[in-house]
């Protein structure tokens, strides 16, 4: 029944913001994929709604929170949606609590940017090599797409790089032209690059000195440009099989 009422879509048709919000990445082969709007969902028998919500939770889809966690804010509006233990966010549930819900989503399980803790002398010493770093720190993009590669390039002064989904090839070209191998994490202007076993660049950050670094954790709209300790950045970027290389920004 659910299949007859659903709207099927190719994953490539999804807006970037929906793809990132619901983490529609690398779904297993053979897994059914469909979108229901709120009216279609609520028109299903409760047994079907329950099966759908449980399946989404089992497959790790985002935004299938517990009923108990949101009971004080939502009252009982969400309890009858499915099995009484998990529910799905719909626009009708968000009315009047948008800011609180969004804040919870952005903050939960994610490291906060610590740009307000960076001493003034650190920003001042980094200004020559990283003229865009302070302007970007703590800022959200207008949507999904802008990523770690463009963030590092923009921090070093490449105009507009922070606003696009920067691909590997232009980043590698910029790195070859604008930096030299090696560098110390304690100095400003050291580009930290994580590569997978095949040599492909997977993530990047740039140091601003005094034990701090700037990076954007993902291309998602929910991740601002963050300032973290060097250890915090390494922990955030740690992935089995990835190795860290260092380069020094070379201003000619």
């Amino acid at each position: 029944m659910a299949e007859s009422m659903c709207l099927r879509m190719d994953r490539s048709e999804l807006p970037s913001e929906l793809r990132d919000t619901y983490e529609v990445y690398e779904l297993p082969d053979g897994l059914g994929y469909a979108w229901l709007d709120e009216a279609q969902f609520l028109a299903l028998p409760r047994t079907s709604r329950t099966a759908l919500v449980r399946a989404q939770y089992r497959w790790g889809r985002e935004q299938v929170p517990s009923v108990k966690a949101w009971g004080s804010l939502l009252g009982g509006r969400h309890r009858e949606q499915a099995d009484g233990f998990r529910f799905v966010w719909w626009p009708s549930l968000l009315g009047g609590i948008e800011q609180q819900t969004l804040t919870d989503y952005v903050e939960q399980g994610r490291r906060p940017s610590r740009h307000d803790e960076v001493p003034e002398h650190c920003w001042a010493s980094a200004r020559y090599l990283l003229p865009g770093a302070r302007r970007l720190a703590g800022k959200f993009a207008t949507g999904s797409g802008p990523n770690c590669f463009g963030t590092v390039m923009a921090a070093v002064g490449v105009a507009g790089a922070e606003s696009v989904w920067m691909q590997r090839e232009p980043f590698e070209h910029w790195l070859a032209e604008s930096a030299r191998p090696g560098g110390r994490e304690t100095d400003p202007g050291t580009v930290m690059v994580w590569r997978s076993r095949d040599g492909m660049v997977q993530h990047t950050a740039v140091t601003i000195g005094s034990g701090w670094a700037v990076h954007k954790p993902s291309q998602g709209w929910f991740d601002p440009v963050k300032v973290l300790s060097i250890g915090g950045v390494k922990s955030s970027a740690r992935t089995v099989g990835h190795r860290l290389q260092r380069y020094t920004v070379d201003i000619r």
Side-chain angles (χ1 to χ4, degrees), residues 16 19 144-151 153 161 163-175 200-204 219:
S16 298
R19 177 203 62 208
S144 288
N147 58 8
C148 60
F149 305 139
T151 294
M153 293 168 66
S163 302
V164 299
W165 191 356
M166 190 65 64
Q167 301 300 304
R168 289 184 173 94
E169 291 78 7
F171 174 76
E172 291 278 30
H173 177 76
W174 170 83
L175 189 65
M200 298 283 281
V201 59
Q202 301 295 334
H203 189 61
T204 187
Q219 83 289 336

Side-chain angles (χ1 to χ4, degrees), residues 35-142:
W35 285 94
L36 294 171
D37 62 27
E38 185 173 6
Q40 289 173 317
F41 178 78
L42 295 177
L44 296 172
R46 187 169 182 178
T47 54
S48 297
R49 301 198 305 267
T50 294
L52 286 172
V53 171
R54 287 178 177 175
Q56 291 179 83
Y57 180 69
R58 185 172 64 251
W59 286 106
R61 203 213 82 177
E62 284 292 310
Q63 300 315 297
V64 192
S66 72
V67 166
K68 183 178 179 180
W70 289 91
S72 61
L73 195 64
L74 292 174
R77 291 188 293 157
H78 58 328
R79 190 172 301 278
E80 300 300 315
Q81 189 185 104
D83 61 1
F85 296 98
R86 293 278 168 180
F87 72 101
V88 176
W89 281 110
W90 294 106
S92 63
L93 292 177
L94 289 169
I97 58 169
E98 295 91 346
Q99 183 172 346
Q100 184 169 346
T101 306
L102 179 61
T103 300
D104 180 83
Y105 175 81
V106 169
E107 293 181 348
Q108 188 173 32
R110 299 185 176 97
R111 294 176 174 85
S113 177
R114 300 174 61 187
H115 52 280
D116 288 339
E117 300 177 40
V118 178
E120 188 63 36
H121 70 82
C122 181
W123 289 120
S125 64
R127 189 178 300 126
Y128 176 68
L129 291 174
L130 306 168
R134 189 171 194 177
R135 172 180 59 83
L136 294 171
K139 299 296 191 302
F140 286 85
T142 56

Side-chain angles (χ1 to χ4, degrees), residues 135-241:
R135 172 180 59 83
L136 294 171
K139 299 296 191 302
F140 286 85
T142 56
S144 288
N147 58 8
C148 60
F149 305 139
T151 294
V152 167
M153 293 168 66
V156 178
V158 179
E162 74 275 17
S163 302
V164 299
W165 191 356
M166 190 65 64
Q167 301 300 304
R168 289 184 173 94
E169 291 78 7
F171 174 76
E172 291 278 30
H173 177 76
W174 170 83
L175 189 65
E177 292 289 321
S178 305
R180 62 182 186 277
R184 299 190 304 176
E185 294 170 0
T186 53
D187 297 335
T190 297
V191 181
M192 305 166 71
V193 175
W194 284 263
R195 297 185 185 276
S196 49
R197 291 190 178 97
D198 58 6
M200 298 283 281
V201 59
Q202 301 295 334
H203 189 61
T204 187
V206 63
T207 62
I208 56 176
S210 302
W212 300 100
V214 173
H215 84 143
K216 191 174 189 298
S218 77
Q219 83 289 336
W221 60 267
F222 42 76
D223 273 326
V225 175
K226 296 184 180 182
V227 174
L228 299 177
S229 67
I230 297 296
V233 170
K234 288 182 176 180
S235 179
S236 177
R238 186 176 295 121
T239 302
V240 175

